[in-house]
Amino acid sequence: MTTRELQDLIIEEKKKRDVCILAHAYQSHDIWEVADFVGDSYGLSVQAAKATQKNVIMCGVRFMAETVKLLSPDKNVLLSNPLAGCPMAQQVSREKVLQLRNQYPDHLVVAYINTTTDMKRAVDVVVTSSSAVQIIKNLPDKNILFIPDCNLGDWVAKQCPDKNFQFIQGGCPTHMSVSAKTVEEARKLHPHALFAVHPECIKEVVEKADYIGSTTGIMNFCKKSEAKEFIIGTEQSIVQHLQIECPDKNFYALSNALVCHNMKMTTLSDVYNSIIGKERAVITLPDETISEARKCIDRMIELGG
Ligand code: 13P
Ligand code: SF4
């Protein structure tokens, strides 16, 4: 069967079975083409709350599917590849957050959305890369304990100088693998290119960028810019999507190391098998967990506008 034939089958089956397909921007282009919504983590959360279908299939990683379940507990939520997880989400446990709360009793606990559901039960608000600055500025609290991504935290802190931040060590292993030297080499190779980066990269890399933002932010920046060449400092799939969507421009990956193997796990066949119920990674969460963990996500959506 060709990719096109499989895509047609997916589109036919999803209508018949009342399925909404949500895909994170790091998914492959053949998945983008069958999805009802493609976006960054914030966009996916907002869309998850709005979806009218009875069944939602998340093409991404586990915390994203669990976020959908938290926002729409009555829906049947599936993760298209049950093995796809985010290594950063495992870096801080709920127990660790409770211990940090004792250590910093006068700090509000703000967590990146890339965390487990269990941990979300213990934090005050979650943020994404595209919503973090606005949400933290909107918070009345001055003292912020930001977990687990200290690189994203550092970028946010620079834009919120009137707040006091505490961080713990953590971050995305994919984005953290790139050094400032790699940026210098890429700039030498492509002297006319603008450099767009994700704030999960280390601060020495982020400091060298012409644009800093989420996956959707990077894509919008490149599409709207008058420039013709771009170095992309995030997962390599974004280079491919941009090249397809803007054939008159040139996009270069900052580094071949910028590959998230978890995001790459999901295939078009996984999506089809999830729809027809062949491989069902159904997300189930206890009611009590849902009511505790969704508070920090509701707060994000409320503060994020
Ligand atoms: P955003 O799509 O929100 O920028 O997040 C990037 C990421 O690494 C998701 O796991
Ligand atoms: Fe997690 Fe990084 Fe992969 Fe995003 S890119 S899913 S933060 S490991």
Side-chain angles (χ1 to χ4, degrees):
M1 191 185 294
T2 65
T3 300
R4 192 55 219 251
E5 284 164 351
L6 185 54
Q7 286 178 320
D8 288 344
L9 259 184
I10 291 173
I11 291 165
E12 194 185 311
E13 288 296 328
K14 76 171 182 175
K15 275 188 204 139
K16 231 194 272 171
R17 297 172 190 248
D18 197 26
V19 174
C20 168
I21 301 179
L22 300 179
H24 184 265
Y26 292 156
Q27 296 297 297
S28 54
H29 214 78
D30 53 1
I31 293 178
W32 273 43
E33 286 170 344
V34 296
D36 295 276
F37 178 82
V38 179
D40 63 10
S41 308
Y42 186 76
L44 289 171
S45 306
V46 173
Q47 210 59 36
K50 280 190 195 160
T52 53
Q53 292 89 336
K54 231 169 95 345
N55 305 291
V56 180
I57 292 181
M58 172 57 74
C59 304
V61 289
R62 181 161 293 271
F63 79 82
M64 295 176 173
E66 291 190 356
T67 302
V68 177
K69 186 70 185 173
L70 293 175
L71 289 166
S72 302
D74 298 332
K75 290 195 198 302
N76 184 35
V77 180
L78 292 103
L79 175 62
S80 49
N81 186 319
L83 299 177
C86 167
M88 177 169 23
Q90 304 301 325
Q91 287 169 353
V92 186
S93 66
R94 177 163 180 264
E95 290 66 38
K96 178 72 184 173
V97 176
L98 295 174
Q99 182 200 319
L100 288 164
R101 277 197 173 280
N102 283 335
Q103 205 177 327
Y104 299 101
D106 58 346
H107 282 62
L108 191 85
V109 183
V110 179
Y112 195 19
I113 198 165
N114 298 38
T115 43
T116 63
T117 297
D118 200 36
M119 202 219 70
K120 287 186 176 83
R121 291 164 61 203
V123 307
D124 297 304
V125 60
V126 289
V127 295
T128 68
S129 55
S130 57
S131 63
V133 173
Q134 186 192 340
I135 288 172
I136 291 176
K137 279 187 176 167
N138 282 347
L139 288 168
D141 311 71
K142 224 174 158 46
N143 298 330
I144 308 289
L145 173 63
F146 191 96
I147 53 176
D149 189 338
C150 56
N151 298 306
L152 175 69
D154 180 78
W155 174 68
V156 172
K158 286 195 176 104
Q159 293 166 84
C160 303
D162 55 329
K163 309 263 178 182
N164 307 318
F165 283 82
Q166 280 292 339
F167 304 110
I168 55 162
Q169 270 323 106
C172 165
T174 301
H175 286 86
M176 281 164 67
S177 67
V178 185
S179 69
K181 194 163 169 273
T182 311
V183 182
E184 283 152 25
E185 285 164 2
R187 284 234 191 242
K188 258 188 224 149
L189 266 177
H190 309 291
H192 305 297
L194 293 181
F195 171 42
V197 80
H198 197 283
E200 286 175 11
C201 286
I202 61 170
K203 72 167 186 290
E204 293 78 4
V205 168
V206 170
E207 277 164 8
K208 293 184 180 300
D210 299 298
Y211 174 82
I212 308 154
S214 75
T215 50
T216 302
I218 290 174
M219 292 199 69
N220 288 341
F221 168 75
C222 295
K223 284 181 194 169
K224 285 184 195 149
S225 170
E226 301 271 293
K228 291 283 174 206
E229 290 182 80
F230 302 85
I231 299 163
I232 304 299
T234 190
E235 216 279 337
Q236 285 198 4
S237 51
I238 300 298
V239 177
Q240 290 144 23
H241 299 309
L242 280 166
Q243 200 58 72
I244 292 169
E245 298 202 346
C246 311
D248 58 324
K249 297 182 177 182
N250 285 320
F251 300 92
Y252 314 109
L254 171 61
S255 158
N256 289 336
L258 278 168
V259 175
C260 175
H261 297 286
N262 280 277
M263 283 285 185
K264 291 267 175 291
M265 275 181 190
T266 306
T267 63
L268 201 58
S269 304
D270 290 333
V271 181
Y272 179 69
N273 288 336
S274 303
I275 292 182
I276 63 163
K278 202 165 160 197
E279 273 170 38
R280 311 213 87 185
V282 181
I283 302 294
T284 52
L285 295 168
D287 288 348
E288 203 186 326
T289 302
I290 292 180
S291 63
E292 283 177 14
R294 80 168 278 168
K295 285 182 198 151
C296 62
I297 302 174
D298 285 339
R299 197 152 182 219
M300 169 183 79
I301 295 177
E302 191 188 298
L303 291 164

